Amino acid sequence: MKAVVFHRHGGPEVLQYEEAPDPKVGPKDVLVRVKAASCNHNDVWARKGLPGMKFDLPHISGSDISGEVIEVGSAVTCIQVGQKVLSHPVLSCRTCEWCTSGQEYFCRQLKIWGFQTGPYDGGYAELARLPEVNVIPIPPNLNWEEAAAIPLVLLTAYHMLVTRAELKAGEDLLLWGSSSGIGHVGIQIAKIIGARVIAVAGTDEKCSKAKALGADEVINYNTQDVAAEVKKLTNKKGVEVVFEHTGQATWERSMTSMAWGGRLVVCGNTTGFEAKTDLRFLFNKQLSLLGSHEGNKAEIIRGLKWVEAGKIKPVIDRTFALKDAAKAQETMEKGLHFGKIVLKP
Ligand SMILES: [Zn+2]
């Protein structure tokens, strides 16, 4: 099969479109002919390498795919050849205490498919092998591109807002990075819950797109003072919940934007991992800092019901041919997009 592979860490130039061995299907695996894959920041982190993390090389990235099942292993019971599926990217043992209590993200054998490749290679390829438990039938109202755009961002945003932050109707939410994959899905989840969304983006054009997705208020962080605007919009109260995934660059403004008793939920941290917290505010205002990482299969299935009902719409910014994955990642790193960037084999 053809795949996008890197043999060493580095810039987009290390991504090679080349011949790779076809995946061999194990007893509990399915083989999917990939119709579309989508890009995530995970892909860039793996390509560059992260301090303290070991990546198997050569590496095929890609945590999100849609496609058609073309082969199933001898012990597969729930998935059939010919089914249209999307990927659930959390690989875990499925038998430990954490996995069987619905907390597969704590499994000691946890791997994010396509990020920590091996033994399962990721989805930047013509064919993808996944455990049966890691594929889910595609809602009928999605095309291939939309189905590939949704899994990881839906899972992440759902776990952050529904499970971790327990966002409630009537609460104010400050949401950074509205134009990102998780940001644009986060806006839509928060509106389903009935919260008031204050969405932040870096251009007026992105702000209007956030508004079109349902954001009640928008703030352009390049031309406006985010903390001051939040104060103004909430009558000095601050927001009950902050949706953080940018990290270092925005952390202090997130902390000062919270209401008394506010909750901050954080994942990813695309601008850096070192943030400063004034602990006086943390204890005095009784704030909660909530880490979030991935989610479980039930959360993605529940989120997909909202997608099927048309309440969450994945936004595709643009589509590249699989061989142009380097260009696609460059576009994502420059932040030129709104929504998701999709690759087509
Ligand atoms: Zn486990």
Side-chain angles (χ1 to χ4, degrees):
M1 66 170 182
K2 288 281 191 205
V4 173
V5 184
F6 62 82
H7 297 263
R8 58 183 173 89
H9 295 292
E13 71 284 351
V14 301
L15 297 176
Q16 306 283 337
Y17 183 66
E18 61 186 39
E19 198 60 41
D22 284 2
K24 295 255 181 307
V25 174
K28 298 283 278 176
D29 295 338
V30 302
L31 186 65
V32 180
R33 180 168 303 288
V34 178
K35 298 288 188 178
S38 77
C39 298
N40 291 288
H41 270 280
N42 274 350
D43 309 341
V44 172
W45 280 321
R47 191 199 73 217
K48 288 181 172 170
L50 280 173
M53 267 196 82
K54 196 185 163 291
F55 293 92
D56 288 345
L57 299 174
H59 185 110
I60 299 177
S61 287
S63 304
D64 281 328
I65 58 153
S66 63
E68 193 175 332
V69 176
I70 55 168
E71 189 185 335
V72 299
S74 56
V76 167
T77 53
C78 297
I79 298 291
Q80 285 95 42
V81 168
Q83 257 188 306
K84 296 175 173 179
V85 295
L86 52 79
S87 51
H88 165 48
V90 179
L91 304 175
S92 68
C93 80
R94 305 282 161 193
T95 58
C96 75
E97 175 189 350
W98 298 117
C99 286
T100 53
S101 65
Q103 295 168 293
E104 60 200 65
Y105 35 80
F106 293 144
C107 178
R108 298 327 299 152
Q109 292 178 45
L110 171 79
K111 280 191 174 184
I112 307 307
W113 181 58
F115 176 53
Q116 296 142 300
T117 290
Y120 291 88
D121 287 320
Y124 281 22
E126 290 175 326
L127 298 172
R129 172 177 79 111
L130 278 161
E132 169 185 30
V133 70
N134 287 94
V135 298
I136 298 170
I138 295 176
N141 57 332
L142 295 189
N143 61 31
W144 292 119
E145 289 83 357
E146 290 166 330
I150 202 75
L152 185 58
V153 292
L154 176 67
L155 178 67
T156 307
Y158 188 104
H159 190 64
M160 288 175 79
L161 290 173
V162 179
T163 309
R164 296 293 286 144
E166 299 182 67
L167 182 66
K168 290 173 187 66
E171 290 190 319
D172 288 328
L173 171 75
L174 174 66
L175 184 143
W176 291 98
S178 305
S179 62
S180 66
I182 61 168
H184 90 286
V185 172
I187 292 172
Q188 299 178 75
I189 291 176
K191 288 317 296 173
I192 295 168
I193 292 170
R196 174 180 177 234
V197 179
I198 303 172
V200 184
T203 67
D204 289 344
E205 192 198 341
K206 287 179 175 179
C207 283
S208 340
K209 287 184 179 174
K211 205 137 203 190
L213 281 178
D216 300 277
E217 307 288 347
V218 286
I219 304 174
N220 180 338
Y221 68 80
N222 278 316
T223 58
Q224 290 174 288
D225 177 337
V226 174
E229 288 302 314
V230 168
K231 254 189 180 168
K232 214 187 294 171
L233 291 167
T234 59
N235 254 329
K236 295 191 182 159
K237 167 184 68 76
V239 295
E240 282 77 21
V241 177
V242 178
F243 183 92
E244 247 293 354
H245 53 111
T246 35
Q248 196 167 320
T250 54
W251 187 262
E252 285 177 64
R253 282 172 284 172
S254 292
M255 292 299 293
T256 55
S257 297
M258 265 188 283
W260 294 77
R263 290 104 73 198
L264 180 155
V265 64
V266 59
C267 81
N269 298 312
T270 46
T271 64
F273 304 121
E274 290 188 19
K276 210 172 104 194
T277 301
D278 186 330
L279 297 175
R280 288 172 303 174
F281 293 105
L282 182 68
F283 76 80
N284 199 25
K285 292 174 82 175
Q286 302 197 46
L287 306 173
S288 300
L289 302 181
L290 305 163
S292 191
H293 188 226
E294 307 300 329
N296 66 32
K297 189 179 179 185
E299 290 174 307
I300 200 168
I301 290 171
R302 286 175 195 153
L304 283 172
K305 288 179 186 165
W306 284 336
V307 175
E308 186 166 353
K311 293 178 179 174
I312 297 177
K313 186 99 180 119
V315 175
I316 313 284
D317 180 84
R318 63 196 92 175
T319 301
F320 289 86
L322 177 62
K323 66 176 173 55
D324 295 325
K327 271 188 223 158
Q329 286 192 2
E330 271 178 309
T331 306
M332 184 173 66
E333 279 190 276
K334 285 182 188 152
L336 302 174
H337 61 298
F338 188 100
K340 292 284 290 178
I341 296 172
V342 170
L343 302 171
K344 294 272 285 177

